[in-house]
Amino acid sequence: MPDNPTPRSREVTILNGPNLNLLGKRQPHIYGHETLADVEAACRKLGAELGLAIRFHQSNREYEIIDWIHEVRETAGAIIINPAAFTHTSVAILDALATCECPILEVHISNVHRREAFRHHSYVSAVATTVMAGAGTHGYQLALRHVAHLMG
Ligand code: CA2
């Protein structure tokens, strides 16, 4: 995979891993008050402004995330992924992402490097074009803006 792949379409897939369906409902001191539905709505609004078509998914099942990666691996302009706890455990998601030629943007709501040591290692970062952490749920919008920037 090239270090700086160019997006080949304006389709952006945003994937969210386990427990992110609870966003805004538990642990607001870590993850904030916005729900995942709020994040999706904000991404769709910004995507429309930037001329990007957004697919947005969340799953608590590793295989479902892998299947969504396979579905778009040849067509996506970019994949934005918050793998949540799978970040720190999943060689399978790493392997699926490694088959994609589009830019991969890894987003974490919290600054994982300020947290427990087990959150400091990410399997996904080995194939990510861009990694961002600690911007809260605004990180998803920063990632979308970066995709638009890469498209020129
Ligand atoms: O900071 C992030 O975005 C994380 O990917 C979130 C994961 C965590 O395992 C990663 O280390 C960092 C956890 C997602 C769980 O989301 C919840 C949201 C609200 C309430 C409970 C869990």
Side-chain angles (χ1 to χ4, degrees), residues 17-28 30-32 34 81-88 106-112 115-116 118-120 132-134 136 140:
N19 298 308
L20 284 166
N21 53 310
L22 297 178
L23 208 59
K25 298 172 183 168
R26 297 275 187 283
Q27 298 183 294
I30 302 176
Y31 300 115
E34 281 201 335
I81 182 165
N82 182 348
F86 292 150
T87 307
H88 318 297
E106 177 182 352
V107 171
H108 297 286
I109 297 165
S110 64
N111 179 355
V112 283
R115 300 183 64 193
E116 304 95 321
F118 68 83
R119 297 187 202 274
H120 298 178
M132 73 181 61
Y140 290 82

Side-chain angles (χ1 to χ4, degrees), residues 5-118:
T6 309
R8 73 197 130 179
S9 79
R10 300 192 75 83
E11 291 172 24
V12 180
T13 289
I14 303 176
L15 299 176
N16 293 281
N19 298 308
L20 284 166
N21 53 310
L22 297 178
L23 208 59
K25 298 172 183 168
R26 297 275 187 283
Q27 298 183 294
H29 56 294
I30 302 176
Y31 300 115
H33 290 278
E34 281 201 335
T35 65
L36 196 63
D38 295 333
V39 174
E40 177 173 359
C43 286
R44 291 196 183 282
K45 183 169 181 286
L46 181 60
E49 287 168 22
L50 297 172
L52 303 173
I54 306 293
R55 287 170 181 235
F56 194 99
H57 299 293
Q58 185 274 333
S59 182
N60 297 325
R61 301 173 184 86
E62 191 174 19
Y63 75 86
E64 217 163 2
I65 294 170
I66 293 164
D67 285 349
W68 285 323
I69 295 168
H70 290 179
E71 267 175 34
V72 300
R73 53 179 288 277
E74 291 183 330
T75 54
I79 295 174
I80 296 173
I81 182 165
N82 182 348
F86 292 150
T87 307
H88 318 297
T89 62
S90 182
V91 175
I93 290 176
L94 164 67
D95 286 347
L97 289 170
T99 71
C100 303
E101 287 179 12
C102 65
I104 294 163
L105 292 85
E106 177 182 352
V107 171
H108 297 286
I109 297 165
S110 64
N111 179 355
V112 283
H113 300 289
R114 276 177 58 165
R115 300 183 64 193
E116 304 95 321
F118 68 83

